[in-house]
PDB file of all heavy atoms in Angstrom:
ATOM      1  N   GLN A 119     135.245  57.034 126.293  1.00 91.00           N
ATOM      2  CA  GLN A 119     134.720  56.614 127.586  1.00 91.00           C
ATOM      3  C   GLN A 119     134.649  55.096 127.590  1.00 91.00           C
ATOM      4  O   GLN A 119     134.136  54.485 126.645  1.00 91.00           O
ATOM      5  CB  GLN A 119     133.332  57.190 127.862  1.00 91.00           C
ATOM      6  CG  GLN A 119     132.766  56.708 129.205  1.00 91.00           C
ATOM      7  CD  GLN A 119     131.486  57.410 129.594  1.00 91.00           C
ATOM      8  OE1 GLN A 119     131.168  58.469 129.068  1.00 91.00           O
ATOM      9  NE2 GLN A 119     130.739  56.827 130.510  1.00 91.00           N
ATOM     10  N   VAL A 120     135.185  54.489 128.633  1.00 92.00           N
ATOM     11  CA  VAL A 120     135.118  53.033 128.783  1.00 92.00           C
ATOM     12  C   VAL A 120     133.809  52.681 129.481  1.00 92.00           C
ATOM     13  O   VAL A 120     133.338  53.413 130.349  1.00 92.00           O
ATOM     14  CB  VAL A 120     136.335  52.508 129.572  1.00 92.00           C
ATOM     15  CG1 VAL A 120     136.271  50.989 129.709  1.00 92.00           C
ATOM     16  CG2 VAL A 120     137.625  52.911 128.863  1.00 92.00           C
ATOM     17  N   GLY A 121     133.217  51.554 129.096  1.00 88.00           N
ATOM     18  CA  GLY A 121     131.857  51.232 129.497  1.00 88.00           C
ATOM     19  C   GLY A 121     131.668  50.774 130.926  1.00 88.00           C
ATOM     20  O   GLY A 121     131.016  49.748 131.159  1.00 88.00           O
ATOM     21  N   PHE A 122     132.190  51.520 131.887  1.00 90.00           N
ATOM     22  CA  PHE A 122     131.931  51.217 133.302  1.00 90.00           C
ATOM     23  C   PHE A 122     130.637  51.912 133.714  1.00 90.00           C
ATOM     24  O   PHE A 122     130.623  53.112 133.986  1.00 90.00           O
ATOM     25  CB  PHE A 122     133.102  51.678 134.167  1.00 90.00           C
ATOM     26  CG  PHE A 122     134.353  50.879 133.967  1.00 90.00           C
ATOM     27  CD1 PHE A 122     135.514  51.483 133.522  1.00 90.00           C
ATOM     28  CD2 PHE A 122     134.371  49.521 134.224  1.00 90.00           C
ATOM     29  CE1 PHE A 122     136.678  50.745 133.340  1.00 90.00           C
ATOM     30  CE2 PHE A 122     135.521  48.764 134.032  1.00 90.00           C
ATOM     31  CZ  PHE A 122     136.671  49.383 133.593  1.00 90.00           C
ATOM     32  N   MET A 123     129.556  51.143 133.798  1.00 86.00           N
ATOM     33  CA  MET A 123     128.243  51.743 134.018  1.00 86.00           C
ATOM     34  C   MET A 123     127.879  51.872 135.491  1.00 86.00           C
ATOM     35  O   MET A 123     126.904  52.540 135.831  1.00 86.00           O
ATOM     36  CB  MET A 123     127.156  50.931 133.296  1.00 86.00           C
ATOM     37  CG  MET A 123     126.743  49.626 133.942  1.00 86.00           C
ATOM     38  SD  MET A 123     128.098  48.438 134.050  1.00 86.00           S
ATOM     39  CE  MET A 123     127.289  47.080 134.885  1.00 86.00           C
ATOM     40  N   ARG A 124     128.653  51.240 136.397  1.00 90.00           N
ATOM     41  CA  ARG A 124     128.240  51.263 137.801  1.00 90.00           C
ATOM     42  C   ARG A 124     128.272  52.669 138.393  1.00 90.00           C
ATOM     43  O   ARG A 124     127.576  52.940 139.374  1.00 90.00           O
ATOM     44  CB  ARG A 124     129.118  50.319 138.630  1.00 90.00           C
ATOM     45  CG  ARG A 124     128.895  48.860 138.289  1.00 90.00           C
ATOM     46  CD  ARG A 124     129.539  47.966 139.309  1.00 90.00           C
ATOM     47  NE  ARG A 124     129.511  46.567 138.898  1.00 90.00           N
ATOM     48  CZ  ARG A 124     130.010  45.575 139.608  1.00 90.00           C
ATOM     49  NH1 ARG A 124     130.592  45.833 140.778  1.00 90.00           N
ATOM     50  NH2 ARG A 124     129.953  44.332 139.172  1.00 90.00           N
ATOM     51  N   ARG A 125     129.055  53.562 137.810  1.00 89.00           N
ATOM     52  CA  ARG A 125     129.072  54.951 138.274  1.00 89.00           C
ATOM     53  C   ARG A 125     127.697  55.605 138.124  1.00 89.00           C
ATOM     54  O   ARG A 125     127.423  56.623 138.756  1.00 89.00           O
ATOM     55  CB  ARG A 125     130.090  55.764 137.472  1.00 89.00           C
ATOM     56  CG  ARG A 125     131.517  55.262 137.600  1.00 89.00           C
ATOM     57  CD  ARG A 125     132.443  56.095 136.753  1.00 89.00           C
ATOM     58  NE  ARG A 125     133.843  55.661 136.876  1.00 89.00           N
ATOM     59  CZ  ARG A 125     134.879  56.462 136.663  1.00 89.00           C
ATOM     60  NH1 ARG A 125     134.670  57.723 136.314  1.00 89.00           N
ATOM     61  NH2 ARG A 125     136.105  56.006 136.786  1.00 89.00           N
ATOM     62  N   TYR A 126     126.857  55.038 137.268  1.00 87.00           N
ATOM     63  CA  TYR A 126     125.529  55.591 137.030  1.00 87.00           C
ATOM     64  C   TYR A 126     124.445  54.842 137.806  1.00 87.00           C
ATOM     65  O   TYR A 126     123.264  55.158 137.675  1.00 87.00           O
ATOM     66  CB  TYR A 126     125.213  55.550 135.530  1.00 87.00           C
ATOM     67  CG  TYR A 126     126.172  56.370 134.717  1.00 87.00           C
ATOM     68  CD1 TYR A 126     127.324  55.798 134.177  1.00 87.00           C
ATOM     69  CD2 TYR A 126     125.955  57.726 134.505  1.00 87.00           C
ATOM     70  CE1 TYR A 126     128.222  56.553 133.441  1.00 87.00           C
ATOM     71  CE2 TYR A 126     126.846  58.487 133.774  1.00 87.00           C
ATOM     72  CZ  TYR A 126     127.984  57.897 133.240  1.00 87.00           C
ATOM     73  OH  TYR A 126     128.882  58.648 132.520  1.00 87.00           O
ATOM     74  N   ASP A 127     124.831  53.854 138.596  1.00 88.00           N
ATOM     75  CA  ASP A 127     123.873  53.074 139.379  1.00 88.00           C
ATOM     76  C   ASP A 127     123.437  53.874 140.608  1.00 88.00           C
ATOM     77  O   ASP A 127     124.260  54.478 141.303  1.00 88.00           O
ATOM     78  CB  ASP A 127     124.510  51.751 139.816  1.00 88.00           C
ATOM     79  CG  ASP A 127     123.580  50.922 140.668  1.00 88.00           C
ATOM     80  OD1 ASP A 127     122.541  50.459 140.167  1.00 88.00           O
ATOM     81  OD2 ASP A 127     123.894  50.755 141.877  1.00 88.00           O
ATOM     82  N   ALA A 128     122.136  53.869 140.895  1.00 87.00           N
ATOM     83  CA  ALA A 128     121.598  54.677 141.996  1.00 87.00           C
ATOM     84  C   ALA A 128     122.198  54.291 143.346  1.00 87.00           C
ATOM     85  O   ALA A 128     122.510  55.159 144.172  1.00 87.00           O
ATOM     86  CB  ALA A 128     120.075  54.537 142.032  1.00 87.00           C
ATOM     87  N   ASP A 129     122.389  52.997 143.601  1.00 89.00           N
ATOM     88  CA  ASP A 129     122.926  52.565 144.895  1.00 89.00           C
ATOM     89  C   ASP A 129     124.373  53.018 145.075  1.00 89.00           C
ATOM     90  O   ASP A 129     124.762  53.481 146.153  1.00 89.00           O
ATOM     91  CB  ASP A 129     122.838  51.042 145.026  1.00 89.00           C
ATOM     92  CG  ASP A 129     121.440  50.570 145.355  1.00 89.00           C
ATOM     93  OD1 ASP A 129     120.595  51.418 145.698  1.00 89.00           O
ATOM     94  OD2 ASP A 129     121.179  49.357 145.257  1.00 89.00           O
ATOM     95  N   TYR A 130     125.182  52.863 144.035  1.00 92.00           N
ATOM     96  CA  TYR A 130     126.568  53.311 144.141  1.00 92.00           C
ATOM     97  C   TYR A 130     126.634  54.833 144.306  1.00 92.00           C
ATOM     98  O   TYR A 130     127.500  55.357 145.022  1.00 92.00           O
ATOM     99  CB  TYR A 130     127.374  52.883 142.919  1.00 92.00           C
ATOM    100  CG  TYR A 130     127.899  51.469 142.993  1.00 92.00           C
ATOM    101  CD1 TYR A 130     127.463  50.505 142.081  1.00 92.00           C
ATOM    102  CD2 TYR A 130     128.831  51.091 143.950  1.00 92.00           C
ATOM    103  CE1 TYR A 130     127.949  49.199 142.136  1.00 92.00           C
ATOM    104  CE2 TYR A 130     129.316  49.785 144.005  1.00 92.00           C
ATOM    105  CZ  TYR A 130     128.873  48.856 143.103  1.00 92.00           C
ATOM    106  OH  TYR A 130     129.345  47.565 143.154  1.00 92.00           O
ATOM    107  N   ARG A 131     125.743  55.564 143.657  1.00 91.00           N
ATOM    108  CA  ARG A 131     125.722  57.007 143.798  1.00 91.00           C
ATOM    109  C   ARG A 131     125.335  57.414 145.225  1.00 91.00           C
ATOM    110  O   ARG A 131     125.879  58.373 145.780  1.00 91.00           O
ATOM    111  CB  ARG A 131     124.774  57.633 142.774  1.00 91.00           C
ATOM    112  CG  ARG A 131     125.366  57.653 141.370  1.00 91.00           C
ATOM    113  CD  ARG A 131     124.402  58.238 140.345  1.00 91.00           C
ATOM    114  NE  ARG A 131     125.093  58.424 139.079  1.00 91.00           N
ATOM    115  CZ  ARG A 131     125.642  59.556 138.678  1.00 91.00           C
ATOM    116  NH1 ARG A 131     125.607  60.620 139.457  1.00 91.00           N
ATOM    117  NH2 ARG A 131     126.250  59.639 137.502  1.00 91.00           N
ATOM    118  N   ARG A 132     124.390  56.679 145.819  1.00 89.00           N
ATOM    119  CA  ARG A 132     124.030  56.964 147.212  1.00 89.00           C
ATOM    120  C   ARG A 132     125.191  56.639 148.150  1.00 89.00           C
ATOM    121  O   ARG A 132     125.426  57.341 149.141  1.00 89.00           O
ATOM    122  CB  ARG A 132     122.770  56.180 147.588  1.00 89.00           C
ATOM    123  CG  ARG A 132     121.485  56.784 147.045  1.00 89.00           C
ATOM    124  CD  ARG A 132     120.262  56.110 147.624  1.00 89.00           C
ATOM    125  NE  ARG A 132     119.992  54.844 146.997  1.00 89.00           N
ATOM    126  CZ  ARG A 132     119.152  54.663 145.983  1.00 89.00           C
ATOM    127  NH1 ARG A 132     118.500  55.695 145.474  1.00 89.00           N
ATOM    128  NH2 ARG A 132     118.949  53.464 145.461  1.00 89.00           N
ATOM    129  N   MET A 133     125.920  55.559 147.835  1.00 91.00           N
ATOM    130  CA  MET A 133     127.086  55.217 148.649  1.00 91.00           C
ATOM    131  C   MET A 133     128.133  56.324 148.572  1.00 91.00           C
ATOM    132  O   MET A 133     128.718  56.720 149.596  1.00 91.00           O
ATOM    133  CB  MET A 133     127.668  53.885 148.183  1.00 91.00           C
ATOM    134  CG  MET A 133     128.960  53.482 148.880  1.00 91.00           C
ATOM    135  SD  MET A 133     129.547  51.835 148.398  1.00 91.00           S
ATOM    136  CE  MET A 133     128.573  50.792 149.498  1.00 91.00           C
ATOM    137  N   LYS A 134     128.358  56.846 147.385  1.00 95.00           N
ATOM    138  CA  LYS A 134     129.336  57.924 147.216  1.00 95.00           C
ATOM    139  C   LYS A 134     128.891  59.185 147.959  1.00 95.00           C
ATOM    140  O   LYS A 134     129.692  59.866 148.602  1.00 95.00           O
ATOM    141  CB  LYS A 134     129.531  58.225 145.733  1.00 95.00           C
ATOM    142  CG  LYS A 134     130.633  59.245 145.444  1.00 95.00           C
ATOM    143  CD  LYS A 134     130.860  59.384 143.948  1.00 95.00           C
ATOM    144  CE  LYS A 134     131.926  60.425 143.625  1.00 95.00           C
ATOM    145  NZ  LYS A 134     133.266  60.025 144.106  1.00 95.00           N
ATOM    146  N   ALA A 135     127.586  59.485 147.897  1.00 93.00           N
ATOM    147  CA  ALA A 135     127.070  60.660 148.600  1.00 93.00           C
ATOM    148  C   ALA A 135     127.243  60.519 150.108  1.00 93.00           C
ATOM    149  O   ALA A 135     127.602  61.484 150.799  1.00 93.00           O
ATOM    150  CB  ALA A 135     125.596  60.871 148.252  1.00 93.00           C
ATOM    151  N   ALA A 136     126.999  59.305 150.629  1.00 92.00           N
ATOM    152  CA  ALA A 136     127.171  59.074 152.073  1.00 92.00           C
ATOM    153  C   ALA A 136     128.627  59.231 152.472  1.00 92.00           C
ATOM    154  O   ALA A 136     128.944  59.777 153.541  1.00 92.00           O
ATOM    155  CB  ALA A 136     126.664  57.679 152.438  1.00 92.00           C
ATOM    156  N   LEU A 137     129.540  58.764 151.632  1.00 94.00           N
ATOM    157  CA  LEU A 137     130.966  58.908 151.917  1.00 94.00           C
ATOM    158  C   LEU A 137     131.376  60.376 151.894  1.00 94.00           C
ATOM    159  O   LEU A 137     132.089  60.853 152.795  1.00 94.00           O
ATOM    160  CB  LEU A 137     131.765  58.115 150.881  1.00 94.00           C
ATOM    161  CG  LEU A 137     133.287  58.288 150.883  1.00 94.00           C
ATOM    162  CD1 LEU A 137     133.880  57.859 152.222  1.00 94.00           C
ATOM    163  CD2 LEU A 137     133.913  57.492 149.737  1.00 94.00           C
ATOM    164  N   GLU A 138     130.914  61.106 150.887  1.00 95.00           N
ATOM    165  CA  GLU A 138     131.324  62.498 150.737  1.00 95.00           C
ATOM    166  C   GLU A 138     130.672  63.415 151.765  1.00 95.00           C
ATOM    167  O   GLU A 138     131.170  64.531 151.991  1.00 95.00           O
ATOM    168  CB  GLU A 138     131.003  62.974 149.317  1.00 95.00           C
ATOM    169  CG  GLU A 138     131.862  62.287 148.258  1.00 95.00           C
ATOM    170  CD  GLU A 138     131.531  62.717 146.844  1.00 95.00           C
ATOM    171  OE1 GLU A 138     130.446  63.324 146.657  1.00 95.00           O
ATOM    172  OE2 GLU A 138     132.342  62.461 145.938  1.00 95.00           O
ATOM    173  N   ALA A 139     129.597  62.971 152.413  1.00 94.00           N
ATOM    174  CA  ALA A 139     128.981  63.786 153.462  1.00 94.00           C
ATOM    175  C   ALA A 139     129.943  64.026 154.618  1.00 94.00           C
ATOM    176  O   ALA A 139     129.880  65.053 155.298  1.00 94.00           O
ATOM    177  CB  ALA A 139     127.696  63.121 153.954  1.00 94.00           C
ATOM    178  N   GLY A 140     130.832  63.055 154.874  1.00 94.00           N
ATOM    179  CA  GLY A 140     131.907  63.243 155.830  1.00 94.00           C
ATOM    180  C   GLY A 140     131.607  62.902 157.266  1.00 94.00           C
ATOM    181  O   GLY A 140     132.540  62.804 158.086  1.00 94.00           O
ATOM    182  N   ASN A 141     130.348  62.720 157.638  1.00 92.00           N
ATOM    183  CA  ASN A 141     130.026  62.493 159.047  1.00 92.00           C
ATOM    184  C   ASN A 141     130.430  61.109 159.539  1.00 92.00           C
ATOM    185  O   ASN A 141     130.507  60.874 160.750  1.00 92.00           O
ATOM    186  CB  ASN A 141     128.531  62.700 159.292  1.00 92.00           C
ATOM    187  CG  ASN A 141     127.661  61.809 158.440  1.00 92.00           C
ATOM    188  OD1 ASN A 141     127.772  61.833 157.218  1.00 92.00           O
ATOM    189  ND2 ASN A 141     126.801  61.026 159.075  1.00 92.00           N
ATOM    190  N   LEU A 142     130.723  60.177 158.628  1.00 93.00           N
ATOM    191  CA  LEU A 142     131.143  58.827 159.022  1.00 93.00           C
ATOM    192  C   LEU A 142     132.662  58.685 159.051  1.00 93.00           C
ATOM    193  O   LEU A 142     133.184  57.618 159.362  1.00 93.00           O
ATOM    194  CB  LEU A 142     130.549  57.787 158.082  1.00 93.00           C
ATOM    195  CG  LEU A 142     129.020  57.684 158.082  1.00 93.00           C
ATOM    196  CD1 LEU A 142     128.548  56.638 157.080  1.00 93.00           C
ATOM    197  CD2 LEU A 142     128.491  57.363 159.467  1.00 93.00           C
ATOM    198  N   GLY A 143     133.361  59.738 158.713  1.00 95.00           N
ATOM    199  CA  GLY A 143     134.815  59.690 158.742  1.00 95.00           C
ATOM    200  C   GLY A 143     135.394  59.129 157.455  1.00 95.00           C
ATOM    201  O   GLY A 143     134.717  58.988 156.439  1.00 95.00           O
ATOM    202  N   SER A 144     136.655  58.773 157.505  1.00 96.00           N
ATOM    203  CA  SER A 144     137.369  58.280 156.323  1.00 96.00           C
ATOM    204  C   SER A 144     137.119  56.786 156.118  1.00 96.00           C
ATOM    205  O   SER A 144     136.952  56.037 157.085  1.00 96.00           O
ATOM    206  CB  SER A 144     138.874  58.520 156.477  1.00 96.00           C
ATOM    207  OG  SER A 144     139.146  59.900 156.590  1.00 96.00           O
ATOM    208  N   PRO A 145     137.123  56.321 154.877  1.00 97.00           N
ATOM    209  CA  PRO A 145     136.953  54.887 154.621  1.00 97.00           C
ATOM    210  C   PRO A 145     138.214  54.115 154.991  1.00 97.00           C
ATOM    211  O   PRO A 145     139.330  54.566 154.730  1.00 97.00           O
ATOM    212  CB  PRO A 145     136.692  54.831 153.111  1.00 97.00           C
ATOM    213  CG  PRO A 145     137.360  56.051 152.565  1.00 97.00           C
ATOM    214  CD  PRO A 145     137.240  57.108 153.623  1.00 97.00           C
ATOM    215  N   LEU A 146     138.006  52.948 155.592  1.00 98.00           N
ATOM    216  CA  LEU A 146     139.117  52.099 156.030  1.00 98.00           C
ATOM    217  C   LEU A 146     139.201  50.815 155.200  1.00 98.00           C
ATOM    218  O   LEU A 146     140.291  50.392 154.816  1.00 98.00           O
ATOM    219  CB  LEU A 146     138.945  51.745 157.510  1.00 98.00           C
ATOM    220  CG  LEU A 146     138.775  52.925 158.479  1.00 98.00           C
ATOM    221  CD1 LEU A 146     138.441  52.398 159.861  1.00 98.00           C
ATOM    222  CD2 LEU A 146     140.022  53.783 158.492  1.00 98.00           C
ATOM    223  N   LEU A 147     138.042  50.209 154.961  1.00 98.00           N
ATOM    224  CA  LEU A 147     137.965  48.946 154.239  1.00 98.00           C
ATOM    225  C   LEU A 147     136.787  48.988 153.273  1.00 98.00           C
ATOM    226  O   LEU A 147     135.830  49.743 153.478  1.00 98.00           O
ATOM    227  CB  LEU A 147     137.758  47.764 155.201  1.00 98.00           C
ATOM    228  CG  LEU A 147     138.803  47.496 156.286  1.00 98.00           C
ATOM    229  CD1 LEU A 147     138.257  46.483 157.285  1.00 98.00           C
ATOM    230  CD2 LEU A 147     140.093  46.990 155.657  1.00 98.00           C
ATOM    231  N   MET A 148     136.859  48.134 152.239  1.00 97.00           N
ATOM    232  CA  MET A 148     135.702  47.931 151.375  1.00 97.00           C
ATOM    233  C   MET A 148     135.586  46.447 151.060  1.00 97.00           C
ATOM    234  O   MET A 148     136.577  45.804 150.711  1.00 97.00           O
ATOM    235  CB  MET A 148     135.828  48.739 150.080  1.00 97.00           C
ATOM    236  CG  MET A 148     134.569  48.680 149.216  1.00 97.00           C
ATOM    237  SD  MET A 148     134.621  49.857 147.833  1.00 97.00           S
ATOM    238  CE  MET A 148     133.015  49.540 147.078  1.00 97.00           C
ATOM    239  N   HIS A 149     134.388  45.921 151.229  1.00 97.00           N
ATOM    240  CA  HIS A 149     134.108  44.522 150.925  1.00 97.00           C
ATOM    241  C   HIS A 149     133.197  44.464 149.706  1.00 97.00           C
ATOM    242  O   HIS A 149     132.187  45.175 149.649  1.00 97.00           O
ATOM    243  CB  HIS A 149     133.419  43.826 152.098  1.00 97.00           C
ATOM    244  CG  HIS A 149     134.153  43.942 153.403  1.00 97.00           C
ATOM    245  ND1 HIS A 149     135.379  43.363 153.624  1.00 97.00           N
ATOM    246  CD2 HIS A 149     133.822  44.583 154.553  1.00 97.00           C
ATOM    247  CE1 HIS A 149     135.785  43.635 154.850  1.00 97.00           C
ATOM    248  NE2 HIS A 149     134.866  44.378 155.440  1.00 97.00           N
ATOM    249  N   CYS A 150     133.539  43.633 148.729  1.00 96.00           N
ATOM    250  CA  CYS A 150     132.756  43.528 147.496  1.00 96.00           C
ATOM    251  C   CYS A 150     132.454  42.072 147.180  1.00 96.00           C
ATOM    252  O   CYS A 150     133.316  41.203 147.348  1.00 96.00           O
ATOM    253  CB  CYS A 150     133.507  44.142 146.312  1.00 96.00           C
ATOM    254  SG  CYS A 150     134.019  45.862 146.532  1.00 96.00           S
ATOM    255  N   VAL A 151     131.255  41.815 146.698  1.00 95.00           N
ATOM    256  CA  VAL A 151     130.848  40.499 146.216  1.00 95.00           C
ATOM    257  C   VAL A 151     130.326  40.672 144.803  1.00 95.00           C
ATOM    258  O   VAL A 151     129.508  41.557 144.528  1.00 95.00           O
ATOM    259  CB  VAL A 151     129.757  39.888 147.108  1.00 95.00           C
ATOM    260  CG1 VAL A 151     129.172  38.631 146.456  1.00 95.00           C
ATOM    261  CG2 VAL A 151     130.309  39.556 148.485  1.00 95.00           C
ATOM    262  N   HIS A 152     130.805  39.840 143.886  1.00 94.00           N
ATOM    263  CA  HIS A 152     130.406  39.906 142.478  1.00 94.00           C
ATOM    264  C   HIS A 152     130.236  38.468 141.999  1.00 94.00           C
ATOM    265  O   HIS A 152     131.214  37.749 141.827  1.00 94.00           O
ATOM    266  CB  HIS A 152     131.501  40.635 141.684  1.00 94.00           C
ATOM    267  CG  HIS A 152     131.174  40.851 140.241  1.00 94.00           C
ATOM    268  ND1 HIS A 152     131.905  41.708 139.445  1.00 94.00           N
ATOM    269  CD2 HIS A 152     130.210  40.326 139.432  1.00 94.00           C
ATOM    270  CE1 HIS A 152     131.403  41.706 138.217  1.00 94.00           C
ATOM    271  NE2 HIS A 152     130.394  40.873 138.186  1.00 94.00           N
ATOM    272  N   ARG A 153     128.990  38.051 141.802  1.00 92.00           N
ATOM    273  CA  ARG A 153     128.704  36.668 141.425  1.00 92.00           C
ATOM    274  C   ARG A 153     127.838  36.626 140.178  1.00 92.00           C
ATOM    275  O   ARG A 153     126.840  37.334 140.082  1.00 92.00           O
ATOM    276  CB  ARG A 153     127.999  35.925 142.566  1.00 92.00           C
ATOM    277  CG  ARG A 153     128.842  35.814 143.836  1.00 92.00           C
ATOM    278  CD  ARG A 153     128.042  35.216 144.974  1.00 92.00           C
ATOM    279  NE  ARG A 153     128.815  35.220 146.224  1.00 92.00           N
ATOM    280  CZ  ARG A 153     128.274  35.236 147.438  1.00 92.00           C
ATOM    281  NH1 ARG A 153     126.952  35.258 147.579  1.00 92.00           N
ATOM    282  NH2 ARG A 153     129.039  35.241 148.506  1.00 92.00           N
ATOM    283  N   ASN A 154     128.241  35.790 139.229  1.00 90.00           N
ATOM    284  CA  ASN A 154     127.471  35.537 138.017  1.00 90.00           C
ATOM    285  C   ASN A 154     126.834  34.159 138.106  1.00 90.00           C
ATOM    286  O   ASN A 154     127.390  33.251 138.745  1.00 90.00           O
ATOM    287  CB  ASN A 154     128.378  35.589 136.784  1.00 90.00           C
ATOM    288  CG  ASN A 154     128.868  36.990 136.489  1.00 90.00           C
ATOM    289  OD1 ASN A 154     128.463  37.944 137.124  1.00 90.00           O
ATOM    290  ND2 ASN A 154     129.755  37.104 135.517  1.00 90.00           N
ATOM    291  N   PRO A 155     125.706  33.944 137.435  1.00 90.00           N
ATOM    292  CA  PRO A 155     125.091  32.618 137.488  1.00 90.00           C
ATOM    293  C   PRO A 155     125.868  31.564 136.705  1.00 90.00           C
ATOM    294  O   PRO A 155     125.879  30.383 137.070  1.00 90.00           O
ATOM    295  CB  PRO A 155     123.700  32.843 136.880  1.00 90.00           C
ATOM    296  CG  PRO A 155     123.853  34.061 136.025  1.00 90.00           C
ATOM    297  CD  PRO A 155     124.866  34.924 136.721  1.00 90.00           C
ATOM    298  N   SER A 156     126.522  31.982 135.606  1.00 90.00           N
ATOM    299  CA  SER A 156     127.221  31.011 134.763  1.00 90.00           C
ATOM    300  C   SER A 156     128.228  31.735 133.888  1.00 90.00           C
ATOM    301  O   SER A 156     128.221  32.962 133.777  1.00 90.00           O
ATOM    302  CB  SER A 156     126.225  30.242 133.882  1.00 90.00           C
ATOM    303  OG  SER A 156     125.525  31.134 133.036  1.00 90.00           O
TER     304      SER A 156
END
Side-chain angles (χ1 to χ4, degrees):
Q119 178 172 342
V120 181
F122 291 120
M123 76 298 178
R124 292 192 189 180
R125 299 179 179 206
Y126 299 92
D127 178 66
D129 283 348
Y130 277 116
R131 284 178 171 264
R132 283 189 282 265
M133 175 175 276
K134 186 174 178 66
L137 172 61
E138 292 178 345
N141 58 304
L142 297 179
S144 299
L146 306 173
L147 300 168
M148 187 170 181
H149 306 294
C150 304
V151 170
H152 184 167
R153 298 173 185 154
N154 290 354
S156 60

